[in-house]
Amino acid sequence: MLLILLFSVLLCQDSRFRLRFLDMMLNKEVRQIITAKANVTDYIRTFLKNKNFLEFVTPIMNMNAGGAAARPFVTHHNDLNMNLYMRIAPELFLKQLVVGGFDRVFEIGNQFRNEGIDMTHNPEFTTCEFYMAYADYYDLMEMTEDMLSGMVKELTGGYKIKYHANGYDKDPIEIDFTPPFRRIEMIGELEKVANLNIPKDLASEEANKYLVDACARLHVICPPPLTTARLLDTLVGEFLEEMCVNPTFIINHPVIMSPLAKWHRSDNALTERFELFINKHEVSKS
Ligand SMILES: *[C@@H]1O[C@H](CO)[C@@H](O)[C@H](O)[C@H]1NC(C)=O
């Protein structure tokens, strides 16, 4: 007892992170955050299993790292005397399962990306990916809405949560998960919010020049190369993502930004894609 009291006096910010078990023993809020995360994982797993999704654990060490564009961690297999790469996404294995006849599959697990670290990026992070045959992006948006709003309701008792988006010493913001979530068309909404009139043919030289000029005029800095896709991505980050505090789907990305995605059924310059933003951060995408 005395020992614990002594520790609680000594438990400054620095030792909190080195002696995590003491932090958990002494701080009720820390235990709550940790159990909440476990409850979130349970909720997602139960939600998908109730819809007849099968859970898989696909390989983490591979001969090459695919399914995303990111720098992988390299490790070495002594017995085979070969380098292996830690996965950056489970996507390719899960898609093979769908092709192989498993119509609904998912995996919850950690991905590894050998890249920068900041408040919202960790080299090791947990994702849930699910794949579903015979569904389109409208079905997926509805499922994502059900999953997240249902989770918030179950874990907090309501659809609105308070979140310390600007640090614990500042007032929390409110995030409203009441479904349906807002849906905005990427190009149309960007034109409206930033007051632009982007040339229709996004693959044209004219569109590229228009966007270079627009960024300069709006004081938006896009690191080179100034491709049309990168310029649009920067403008969307600046003008659209910044207003997505309550859950918002940004939908219908142009083909030039998502060359591998399914084409839009009625506009061949667009794709049937979405990205879901909450508190200005991307939390889900198709
Ligand atoms: C997590 O779930 C358990 C079991 O249902 C419950 O007792 C606990 O209060 C939940 N914790 C949080 C923070 O949601």
Side-chain angles (χ1 to χ4, degrees):
M1 187 59 194
L2 187 64
L3 193 68
I4 290 195
L5 278 180
L6 187 68
F7 266 126
S8 75
V9 173
L10 293 176
L11 208 59
C12 58
Q13 199 67 11
D14 185 42
S15 32
R16 269 189 63 192
F17 294 123
R18 276 188 285 121
L19 303 171
R20 271 311 237 160
F21 57 97
L22 274 178
D23 195 24
M24 293 171 205
M25 284 161 65
L26 298 168
N27 288 327
K28 189 154 151 274
E29 317 85 79
V30 172
R31 275 202 305 282
Q32 255 166 11
I33 291 169
I34 290 171
T35 37
K37 192 195 173 207
N39 290 8
V40 163
T41 314
D42 281 353
Y43 185 92
I44 295 173
R45 183 170 275 124
T46 307
F47 179 93
L48 290 170
K49 289 192 166 185
N50 284 344
K51 293 193 181 307
N52 294 324
F53 281 78
L54 276 188
E55 181 168 10
F56 289 86
V57 179
T58 64
I60 291 173
M61 292 193 299
N62 296 290
M63 309 253 283
N64 41 53
R71 182 137 44 102
F73 284 92
V74 189
T75 186
H76 187 76
H77 192 299
N78 290 338
D79 201 38
L80 297 177
N81 189 23
M82 70 191 290
N83 280 348
L84 292 172
Y85 299 90
M86 310 277 282
R87 69 174 172 194
I88 53 175
E91 175 166 337
L92 299 182
F93 285 111
L94 292 173
K95 282 183 170 168
Q96 286 187 46
L97 285 160
V98 175
V99 172
F102 295 97
D103 287 344
R104 296 179 176 205
V105 303
F106 77 102
E107 177 161 8
I108 296 173
N110 282 9
Q111 317 305 329
F112 308 87
R113 296 186 178 182
N114 205 345
E115 295 178 350
I117 305 174
D118 61 30
M119 281 294 283
T120 60
H121 294 83
N122 202 34
E124 175 176 12
F125 60 102
T126 312
T127 60
C128 169
E129 287 201 13
F130 67 84
Y131 291 87
M132 184 180 185
Y134 314 112
D136 64 12
Y137 76 146
Y138 295 111
D139 300 316
L140 290 191
M141 282 192 275
E142 228 170 86
M143 263 180 70
T144 307
E145 245 159 39
D146 280 357
M147 182 194 281
L148 294 181
S149 61
M151 175 198 296
V152 168
K153 185 92 187 284
E154 163 115 353
L155 297 187
T156 70
Y159 286 128
K160 295 180 180 171
I161 63 162
K162 294 262 186 272
Y163 180 65
H164 286 271
N166 307 308
Y168 263 103
D169 50 337
K170 306 264 170 30
D171 285 339
I173 61 164
E174 184 182 85
I175 303 179
D176 185 355
F177 284 83
T178 309
F181 300 163
R182 193 164 170 236
R183 296 176 186 185
I184 58 181
E185 293 238 15
M186 182 183 273
I187 298 298
E189 192 71 18
L190 177 62
E191 289 188 313
K192 203 156 72 183
V193 173
N195 197 16
L196 299 173
N197 189 5
I198 306 169
K200 286 286 158 282
D201 180 5
L202 291 175
S204 67
E205 197 57 42
E206 185 199 1
N208 186 261
K209 182 162 185 325
Y210 180 89
L211 291 168
V212 171
D213 292 346
C215 281
R217 181 160 44 81
L218 297 165
H219 307 291
V220 173
I221 293 163
C222 176
L226 298 181
T227 61
T228 300
R230 286 173 57 90
L231 290 160
L232 282 172
D233 191 53
T234 307
L235 287 165
V236 167
E238 191 81 15
F239 289 96
L240 297 191
E241 293 170 17
E242 277 303 303
M243 45 177 226
C244 301
V245 174
N246 290 335
T248 306
F249 291 109
I250 298 180
I251 67 170
N252 297 351
H253 302 48
V255 173
I256 56 155
M257 294 176 78
S258 300
L260 301 178
K262 182 175 178 175
W263 284 350
H264 193 279
R265 64 196 72 183
S266 55
D267 185 338
N268 63 11
L270 303 180
T271 61
E272 300 207 341
R273 267 199 75 193
F274 69 77
E275 289 176 301
L276 174 65
F277 286 82
I278 305 175
N279 183 35
K280 308 175 187 176
H281 294 301
E282 183 190 340
V283 299
S284 168
K285 63 177 163 191
S286 74

